[in-house]
């Protein structure tokens, strides 16, 4: 059994992938080929955000967004304490300061009450992460931003395809970013990312930034990045996007099956009313994590820890000036992600659940 079975996905859509990729290679337009523009329109149509700019990865998507928002030295950006490192890394890359907010222990997402307590005159914005595929409490976060005149960015690296009150992830904030890393809900065959926004002039600025600050060849208006999506990756993503809704439905069914089989045994994911998750991860909580993970590994069942440390405890940020955020620390000590992808078999979910039940029968 694989944690995320990308080989199964390749085999299923092989003829479509092979023809899409061979067309790119035959045309030899490897950078900025026609598939890039087509993908951007299709992503926009899918999630509803009017402007989409693809780029090289989800980390640089955040960096490019922060650069376009003129974030720099002396600025504070509030991020959840419990997320993948890249959310804070991008803030540090533009020389601003990440401020680590506590999480809601039910959803693992940023807690709006904690955010309110962290706002200072230096706060320029909030990055909410839609962790494991579930969107954070955007209405409350938007209200805080409006009250303080700061911006809201959704780091939707794990949630492309999720919805909140019928609106898709990446279309719930003035600016949003995602990642097409292979294991994300919509992944390519390498690194990729995108930025989504509601405002045309901001979109134009971002488009400059991801291409060396240049709109015309060899004329540079800004210091930017070399952060474009390869045409090959765009072609791969266009194939996967055609099957994406079906895979999202499949992830949702697998998650329901997990929860129905495990609900009495461990703490299963809580999805808030009005939300649908993209199920980037199916993550349980247990105080017996290391023993359970070893027990599963002995039975060839893969599992993963997303993430073993809150950001405030990372060596590069452990400067002792940040709040301790007990919910974030406790989540880091208890979470365990189980096999989940768009083509997982019911029998695989049942096998994982049977092993977990057998483990808890012994404990
Ligand atoms: C994966 C991820 C990123 C970074 O995306 P890359 O494409 O790997 O650079 C950023 N934030 C979160 C929450 C992620 O899960």
């Amino acid at each position: 059994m694989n944690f995320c079975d990308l080989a199964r996905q390749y085999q299923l859509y092989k003829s479509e992938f092979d023809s899409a990729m061979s067309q790119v290679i035959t045309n030899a337009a490897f950078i900025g080929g026609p598939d890039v523009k087509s993908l951007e329109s299709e992503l926009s149509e899918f999630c509803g955000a009017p402007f989409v700019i693809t780029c090289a990865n989800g980390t640089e998507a955040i960096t490019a967004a922060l650069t376009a928002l003129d974030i720099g030295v002396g600025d504070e950006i509030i991020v959840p304490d419990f997320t993948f490192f890249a959310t804070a890394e991008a803030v540090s890359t533009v020389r601003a300061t990440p401020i680590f907010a506590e999480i809601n222990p039910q959803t693992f997402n940023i807690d709006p009450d904690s955010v309110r307590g962290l706002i200072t005159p230096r706060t320029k914005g909030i990055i909410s992460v839609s962790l494991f595929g579930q969107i954070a409490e955007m209405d409350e976060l938007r209200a805080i931003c409006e009250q303080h005149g700061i911006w809201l960015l959704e780091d939707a690296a794990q949630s492309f395809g999720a919805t909140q009150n019928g609106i898709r992830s990446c279309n719930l904030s003035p600016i949003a970013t995602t990642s097409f890393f292979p294991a994300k809900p919509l992944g390519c065959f390498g690194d990729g990312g995108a930025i989504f926004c509601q405002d045309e002039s901001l979109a134009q600025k971002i488009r400059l930034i991801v291409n060396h600050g240049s709109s015309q060849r060899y004329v540079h208006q800004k210091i930017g990045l070399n952060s474009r999506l390869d045409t090959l990756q765009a072609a791969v993503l266009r194939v996967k996007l055609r099957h994406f809704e079906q895979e999202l439905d499949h992830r949702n069914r697998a998650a329901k099956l997990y929860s129905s089989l495990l609900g009495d045994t461990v703490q299963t994911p809580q999805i808030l009313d009005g939300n649908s998750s993209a199920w980037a991860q199916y993550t349980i909580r247990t105080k017996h994590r290391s023993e359970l993970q070893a027990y599963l590994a002995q039975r060839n069942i893969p599992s993963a820890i997303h993430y073993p440390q809150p950001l405030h405890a990372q060596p590069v940020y452990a400067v002792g000036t940040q709040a301790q955020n007990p919910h974030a620390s406790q989540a880091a000590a208890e979470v365990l992600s189980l096999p989940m992808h768009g083509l997982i078999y019911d029998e695989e979910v049942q096998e994982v659940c049977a092993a977990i039940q057998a483990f808890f029968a012994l404990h």
Side-chain angles (χ1 to χ4, degrees), residues 57-59 62 83-84 86-87 129 155 157-158 179 181 184 192 307:
N57 57 70
T59 307
I62 307 171
T83 173
F84 179 56
T87 312
V129 177
D155 176 354
Q158 303 185 10
S179 164
F181 182 83
K184 307 286 176 167
Y307 297 92

Side-chain angles (χ1 to χ4, degrees), residues 255-273:
K256 277 208 186 89
L257 183 57
Y258 265 128
S259 294
S260 71
L261 295 173
L262 292 178
D264 297 333
T265 313
V266 292
Q267 193 175 329
T268 53
Q270 308 288 307
I271 303 301
L272 297 181
D273 282 350

Side-chain angles (χ1 to χ4, degrees), residues 7 20 22 26 42 44 53 95 111 114 135 147 157 190 205 221 226 239 244 247 254 268 277 304 311 334 360:
S22 83
T26 306
E42 288 160 9
S44 167
I53 303 102
R95 304 275 178 257
D111 175 2
S114 169
I135 298 163
Q147 187 191 340
K205 216 167 155 187
Q221 287 107 315
N226 173 8
V239 171
F244 187 55
E247 290 207 356
T268 53
S277 178
L311 294 182
E334 294 181 0
F360 280 101

Side-chain angles (χ1 to χ4, degrees), residues 58-59 62 77-91 98-103 107-110 127-134 154-158 177 184 305-314 317 325 327-329 331-332 335:
T59 307
I62 307 171
I77 310 300
I78 300 173
V79 304
D81 199 0
F82 187 60
T83 173
F84 179 56
F85 181 67
T87 312
E89 185 181 27
V91 173
I99 304 293
F100 304 122
E102 180 59 293
I103 58 162
T107 62
F108 302 112
N109 279 330
I110 194 164
I127 302 181
S128 72
V129 177
S130 304
L131 203 70
F132 305 150
Q134 174 166 220
E154 184 195 8
D155 176 354
Q158 303 185 10
T177 60
K184 307 286 176 167
I305 297 171
H306 304 107
Y307 297 92
Q309 293 280 0
L311 294 182
H312 78 255
Q314 287 295 337
Y317 291 131
N325 297 330
H327 290 310
S329 298
V335 288

Side-chain angles (χ1 to χ4, degrees), residues 60-74:
E60 287 178 340
I62 307 171
T63 306
L66 296 175
T67 306
L69 293 163
D70 296 318
I71 298 307
V73 175

